[in-house]
Amino acid sequence: MKMRRRAGSTLTGLISLVIVYVIIIILVLVLANQVVSDIPKARELPVTFIIILAILFSLVLIGIIVVNVIRLIREKAAGRPGVNFKFRLLMFFFLIVILSSVPQAFLSINFINSAMHAWFGSRVGEALRGGLSVAIETYNDSIRNLEEFTEGRLFESVLSDLDRNPERTWENVKSLNPEVDSMQVFDTGFKELFYAGRGDEGTRLLRSQATESQEGLVIKDATEEVSFLRIRKTVDNSQGKYYVILSSILPQGFDESAARLTDSIESITQLERLQTNFMFAVIVFYSFFSFPLLLLSILVSFLLAEEIIRPIVQLEDATRRVAEGDFSIRILSRSRDDLSLLVSSFNSMVNELEHTRLKILQTEKVAAWQEIAQQLAHEIKNPLTPIKLSAERLLRKFRQNPENLKDVLESSVSSIIAEVDSLNTLLTEFRHFSRLPEPHPERLQLYDLVKDAAALYSRESGEVQIKYEDLDRNIFIKADPVQLKQVFANLFKNAVEAIDGGGSVFVRADLVKKGNKSYCRIQIQDTGSGIEEKHHSSVFNPYFTTKQHGTGLGLAIVERIVFDHDGQIWFETEKDAGTTFFIDLPMEPEE
Amino acid sequence: MLLFFFCAAAAGGQTLAVSDELAASISRNHDRLRLSVDFFGYDRDEFLTNVNEGLKPQITFQIKVYRKAEGFFKFLGDRLVEEYHPMFEAGKDPFLSRYVIYEDSDKKTLYTDPALFLKSFFRLRDYPIPQPETEPLDGHYILVQVVYKKIRLLPPLNILSLVFMDQAEKSEWYRVEVDEE
């Protein structure tokens, strides 16, 4: 019994594709994150490798899809069962993929575009640039304040008391200009004489730094803690010459805020300039990774469609095989499968059919043997009567007139011998019919086989001609050469004997297709008197004959051999026009 | 400018590679080479406009030191000994109203004169190339390429560089021979 399990390869393929799908999504996320965060690294080898891999992967997917499409077209052309259903399923899946992905892509890109306009529009740019102008103005105000303060007369008068009481000078400076945060005094050798400041000493200069400072120049400086402006003023009065350095601390976090502001302005300026290019890049980037996913979805559609139609195709295939007489086929289904009930019912049906068929076969066999036994008894009984009559005649003569026994002895014994020979022939044929050996098929060229069989009769047929029509030399069949030669010999013999006087026997061969199988159809047609209608049903029966010396086993043997070769035989006949015997034999598959 | 560069370099006994877009020369001091590269393939006005608008052009000097293959293994090609990628970024400090060049090691230099700023940005001056410990620099040569990005792209615009729309210009690779001492 042949058991067919639904292949799990499609499911494995499906799971593999889903895993690949997830891997691609992860790679896209990793790459997108890397691209946005650190582009120099993104241009290096691993990312380039990922891009090449994505392109190769897309090409491979396209290749697989093309192969699947070609296979589908071929299946459609060959009329494979379920292919139209598969085609409709694919169209359905494809439509779902397109309907779900295209609007999503459109909406995503449109959202990015809208968001970019909303978040980084011209108003935001103007606000940032305005903010920077305000910051610069404030900064410049601080510089001007320091410059104007140190150049004013009030500052000079305050410094007049510097050598005697620097603390008091610092107090006066603080009260005159609240923006001054520290004061440092050096002598001409840049030795620090005084330092005072608000809060920590972040603005305090080292001697080396003081040496490098320049007169009157306001510079911006920074330590780890603070940023500040610094100006140097030389005091040269009657008490001596000093360098006074005043510092004004900028607001907390000034440098960081300024850097953020300039970076934001840099970003917004870039975006204003490259907005069109950016959207194009987004579309390319999106397509670059969504295209393989789209291809993957199409491939999944193929696998899903195959997975759905597979049990249907298997059922169809199994049904066809059963119809062709193969009752050994069974289908194994997975548990929890939706179609398992149908498969189970099918298997039960085939079991029942096989059981019934075996019973019918057995009954038919018994009936056939009964009929054969009756025919055989009848055929044996026929010669027994003349044998008995001849023997009784001999005995009667012997008793009545033994001297004249010689007159009837020869004729009676001859009659007995002839009838015994007839019985012997009958029994030999029967033995041959009942012990027909198993066929040993081999690859045969039909043309040669037919020619060989016809040659036996072409010499004996006299005015009957054997003609060949469309007998292709390229037709090969798989059959037992001895048995098949016997089939053709019997049919040629019948055809020649059916023709009274002159006539023709035509032989031709054609290729025919039944379902998925190819057959060679051989026709042997005679121009004889045809078969009477009342004999049509008995032509292939054993011991049926209309000939005086026929055994009635010729066509029965022919039918048996053809059946043993998985073939079929039948005839068409017309009174006074002739008879055509048709034989379908399975073709040898092309090598 | 090219003529001046050529004459000046020739006077110093340097090895040269000169074209319309790039001039490179090396000078040798005992075991140390110094490489100078000038890039001319830029638009002065465009560069200054970008900087004044708050954008930051970027220039990278790609330097590869090769050792010439000799003898039986010549067919394998020359061997890459070392490579360097010094990079400058240009910008403008809006508070100081000065041009700035940022170097690799967070070093920044301020400029008030645009001409000097331009010259300094597009020039790699006396870049030191140390002699490898295992072999002398004789029989070596240097390949130089300049990658000039008109704008340093910030996220998310840096996606443009993946689709090669990042307004970057690359010079050809130029070969400078290291002469024997």
Side-chain angles (χ1 to χ4, degrees), chain B residues 21-36:
Chain B
E21 62 175 351
L22 185 142
S25 66
I26 50 173
S27 58
R28 187 166 184 156
N29 182 11
H30 300 294
D31 62 342
R32 176 158 288 210
L33 292 176
R34 290 191 178 275
L35 176 72
S36 294

Side-chain angles (χ1 to χ4, degrees), chain A residues 462-482:
Chain A
E463 294 175 359
V464 177
Q465 284 188 320
I466 296 178
K467 295 179 179 175
Y468 305 97
E469 295 178 335
D470 296 332
L471 195 59
D472 196 335
R473 285 176 180 274
N474 295 322
I475 297 176
F476 286 88
I477 54 176
K478 199 167 185 181
D480 186 316
V482 177

Side-chain angles (χ1 to χ4, degrees), chain A residues 35-36 39 43 266 270 273, chain B residues 50 53 152 154-155 158 161:
Chain A
V35 163
V36 171
I39 203 69
R43 292 288 290 272
E266 187 185 357
Q270 287 180 12
R273 278 216 200 162
Chain B
N50 286 345
E53 285 186 7
R152 177 195 68 166
L154 296 172
N158 50 6
S161 58

Side-chain angles (χ1 to χ4, degrees), chain A residues 121-393:
Chain A
S122 57
R123 288 178 64 188
V124 179
E126 285 167 15
L128 286 171
R129 289 190 185 97
L132 182 63
S133 298
V134 171
I136 291 169
E137 195 55 41
T138 308
Y139 176 78
N140 289 336
D141 281 349
S142 299
I143 291 173
R144 273 195 298 275
N145 175 49
L146 270 182
E147 283 176 337
E148 287 170 5
F149 176 66
T150 52
E151 285 169 6
R153 287 185 181 175
L154 209 53
F155 182 62
E156 280 185 16
S157 65
V158 167
L159 292 179
S160 60
D161 202 25
L162 180 65
D163 61 327
R164 287 190 299 274
N165 193 350
E167 285 82 7
R168 190 173 169 185
T169 304
W170 165 236
E171 290 301 323
N172 287 333
V173 167
K174 274 201 299 184
S175 61
L176 285 172
N177 191 342
E179 288 188 23
V180 176
D181 292 296
S182 69
M183 187 179 82
Q184 203 168 0
V185 182
F186 292 92
D187 64 13
T188 51
F190 289 100
K191 181 184 174 189
E192 186 184 86
L193 300 176
F194 175 78
Y195 173 83
R198 304 174 207 258
D200 57 36
E201 297 187 357
T203 58
R204 193 171 189 169
L205 290 185
L206 298 173
R207 185 174 185 172
S208 58
Q209 291 172 312
T211 309
E212 289 172 3
S213 65
Q214 292 179 24
E215 181 67 12
L217 183 68
V218 180
I219 62 162
K220 180 170 164 287
D221 204 351
T223 63
E224 286 182 4
E225 296 83 20
V226 290
S227 299
F228 52 91
L229 299 172
R230 189 171 64 236
I231 190 166
R232 194 181 90 180
K233 181 75 179 175
T234 305
V235 178
D236 191 2
N237 56 24
S238 55
Q239 282 83 32
K241 190 178 179 181
Y242 310 99
Y243 298 122
V244 179
I245 295 176
L246 299 181
S247 298
S248 174
I249 295 174
L250 292 167
Q252 186 76 30
F254 178 85
D255 281 351
E256 291 80 5
S257 300
R260 278 199 291 272
L261 198 55
T262 51
D263 282 350
S264 300
I265 288 171
E266 187 185 357
S267 292
I268 207 111
T269 309
Q270 287 180 12
L271 199 67
E272 284 167 354
R273 278 216 200 162
L274 302 169
Q275 195 161 23
T276 311
N277 290 356
F278 176 67
M279 285 317 297
F280 177 75
V282 167
I283 292 168
V284 170
F285 191 74
Y286 188 91
S287 308
F288 192 73
F289 290 102
S290 59
F291 186 60
L293 296 180
L294 183 73
L295 294 175
L296 213 54
S297 305
I298 294 171
L299 204 55
V300 168
S301 302
F302 270 99
L303 291 177
L304 274 177
E306 186 64 34
E307 181 72 5
I308 289 169
I309 70 154
R310 187 187 294 278
I312 299 169
V313 170
Q314 280 188 326
L315 269 172
E316 193 280 338
D317 182 51
T319 310
R320 188 171 44 76
R321 281 169 172 267
V322 170
E324 287 171 359
D326 182 2
F327 290 87
S328 62
I329 192 141
R330 299 289 185 277
I331 304 171
L332 289 178
S333 71
R334 295 194 202 95
S335 57
R336 297 181 187 176
D337 196 304
D338 292 336
L339 286 165
S340 61
L341 189 63
L342 183 59
V343 167
S344 171
S345 300
F346 173 83
N347 288 337
S348 302
M349 182 192 76
V350 176
N351 271 335
E352 196 60 35
L353 274 176
E354 189 179 19
H355 185 63
T356 309
R357 187 181 68 96
L358 287 173
K359 279 175 74 174
I360 291 169
L361 278 177
Q362 188 64 27
T363 310
E364 280 180 349
K365 202 172 175 181
V366 169
W369 276 111
Q370 280 176 343
E371 192 180 339
I372 288 170
Q374 282 176 4
Q375 287 284 348
L376 190 61
H378 177 73
E379 294 298 327
I380 291 172
K381 201 174 176 182
N382 281 344
L384 284 180
T385 304
I387 289 170
K388 186 183 174 188
L389 288 173
S390 297
E392 283 173 349
R393 189 177 162 202

Side-chain angles (χ1 to χ4, degrees), chain B residues 85-98:
Chain B
H85 308 281
M87 186 190 77
F88 301 154
E89 268 180 14
K92 190 174 184 182
D93 189 324
F95 295 93
L96 302 177
S97 288
R98 288 180 189 180

Side-chain angles (χ1 to χ4, degrees), chain A residues 338-448:
Chain A
D338 292 336
L339 286 165
S340 61
L341 189 63
L342 183 59
V343 167
S344 171
S345 300
F346 173 83
N347 288 337
S348 302
M349 182 192 76
V350 176
N351 271 335
E352 196 60 35
L353 274 176
E354 189 179 19
H355 185 63
T356 309
R357 187 181 68 96
L358 287 173
K359 279 175 74 174
I360 291 169
L361 278 177
Q362 188 64 27
T363 310
E364 280 180 349
K365 202 172 175 181
V366 169
W369 276 111
Q370 280 176 343
E371 192 180 339
I372 288 170
Q374 282 176 4
Q375 287 284 348
L376 190 61
H378 177 73
E379 294 298 327
I380 291 172
K381 201 174 176 182
N382 281 344
L384 284 180
T385 304
I387 289 170
K388 186 183 174 188
L389 288 173
S390 297
E392 283 173 349
R393 189 177 162 202
L394 268 177
L395 188 62
R396 194 166 56 244
K397 271 286 178 190
F398 178 71
R399 284 178 182 162
Q400 290 172 356
N401 192 2
E403 288 81 21
N404 292 334
L405 184 62
K406 193 181 174 185
D407 298 338
V408 294
L409 182 65
E410 191 171 348
S411 64
S412 297
V413 169
S414 294
S415 174
I416 290 170
I417 289 169
E419 293 303 331
V420 168
D421 282 345
S422 173
L423 266 176
N424 188 41
T425 306
L426 184 75
L427 292 174
T428 304
E429 284 286 310
F430 177 74
R431 190 175 61 185
H432 181 62
F433 171 67
S434 62
R435 288 186 182 175
L436 204 60
E438 282 286 315
H440 298 288
E442 55 188 73
R443 185 178 159 82
L444 300 173
Q445 192 181 24
L446 184 70
Y447 182 85
D448 290 344

